[in-house]
Amino acid sequence: MSNQGNIELLGATLAKAKSEDRAALVAYLPAGFPTVDGANEAAKAIIAGGADVVEIGLPHSDPVLDGAVIQTADDIALRGGVKIADVLRTVRETFEATGVPILVMTYWNPIDRYGVERFTAELAAAGGAGCILPDLPVQESALWREHAAEHGLATVFVVAPSSRDERLATITAAGSGFVYAASLMGVTGTRESVGNEAQELVRRTRTTTELPVCVGLGVSNAVQAKQVAGFADGVIVGSAFVKLLLDAPDEQAGLAAVRALAGELAEGVRRS
């Protein structure tokens, strides 16, 4: 029996949030930022504040989905020499310290170069729950999905308002864990409002799947988290956490800030 990842824990965590009449709070942080150890501490602080699930980003030189804030953090991580081994270490250490499901969010090219079999085996061994793959076309994903399933890892695909209904059905049929609904066209970053596009996308996605639907891109405060929690199974927040770490005068201040924001967002995702 090979190492098994934590897709079941991910499912149970999302189901538990639903049973408590709230959306799950899903937080995103890039590995290696501000340092490898700093990213580990930040992930633990966000979980202490109330995050249910954490996505660890694998920094990429051309992050097409990500806005300026995450690109800046990725640049710092890459200049610091972050490697896939460091990403896996962050997954392992965060999971061992907290028991919370940890996913990796990554573009396809680094995994392709590293080797699908090797990456899935090592992610499962680190206690990972799966991967979010924003740029892997579903029709080219069979090899990945085969190895991910073998190792007990979720394959989370991203849907967008531009996805047509038949395309949505294809994507959600191939995915597992949850569906990542990008709330608007364009890149990540904080937004003034997370609008009706997101709600309509969630509605359309739900007609195709029983998987939970989590909404990301644009949520940065408790008011927006509450708005999204009104129609989604999970609320994904990334840039707002990264910005606090970028703007902090020192590491301790950054950790306190992200923990506090996680606490506010965790309140926000409660529906009652």
Side-chain angles (χ1 to χ4, degrees), residues 108-121 131 133 136-155 157 174 176:
W108 181 243
N109 188 35
I111 292 184
D112 195 36
R113 286 202 312 241
Y114 194 77
V116 173
E117 167 56 28
R118 180 182 173 200
F119 186 85
T120 50
C131 256
L133 300 160
L136 175 63
V138 170
Q139 63 273 18
E140 292 168 28
S141 68
L143 178 71
W144 164 268
R145 286 187 287 130
E146 178 191 327
H147 287 296
E150 185 188 327
H151 288 293
L153 297 169
T155 299
F157 288 116
S176 57

Side-chain angles (χ1 to χ4, degrees), residues 56-184:
I56 299 297
L58 197 159
H60 194 264
S61 53
D62 182 29
V64 289
L65 185 79
D66 298 303
V69 168
I70 289 170
Q71 282 190 18
T72 300
D74 275 8
D75 285 344
I76 291 167
L78 290 166
R79 282 205 303 273
V82 71
K83 300 277 188 291
I84 286 181
D86 299 313
V87 178
L88 293 166
R89 190 184 125 203
T90 297
V91 171
R92 174 181 282 107
E93 291 181 6
T94 307
F95 176 65
E96 285 177 354
T98 66
V100 161
I102 313 292
L103 298 135
V104 169
M105 183 160 186
T106 180
Y107 295 96
W108 181 243
N109 188 35
I111 292 184
D112 195 36
R113 286 202 312 241
Y114 194 77
V116 173
E117 167 56 28
R118 180 182 173 200
F119 186 85
T120 50
E122 291 181 10
L123 180 57
C131 256
I132 300 160
L133 300 160
D135 69 339
L136 175 63
V138 170
Q139 63 273 18
E140 292 168 28
S141 68
L143 178 71
W144 164 268
R145 286 187 287 130
E146 178 191 327
H147 287 296
E150 185 188 327
H151 288 293
L153 297 169
T155 299
V156 178
F157 288 116
V158 179
V159 298
S162 59
S163 308
R164 298 176 187 274
D165 288 347
E166 61 272 27
R167 176 97 185 120
L168 276 180
T170 304
I171 295 170
T172 60
S176 57
F178 64 90
V179 181
Y180 187 127
S183 68
L184 30 84

Side-chain angles (χ1 to χ4, degrees), residues 2 14 16 73 81 85 123 147 172 182 186 219 268:
S2 56
L14 294 168
K16 181 172 184 283
L123 180 57
H147 287 296
T172 60
V219 178

Side-chain angles (χ1 to χ4, degrees), residues 20-31:
E20 294 170 357
D21 191 35
R22 63 185 183 86
L25 175 59
V26 182
Y28 166 91
L29 285 173

Side-chain angles (χ1 to χ4, degrees), residues 212-234:
V213 183
C214 301
V215 170
L217 275 62
V219 178
S220 60
N221 60 48
V223 173
Q224 292 169 332
K226 192 167 200 66
Q227 184 190 350
V228 174
F231 58 82
D233 299 296

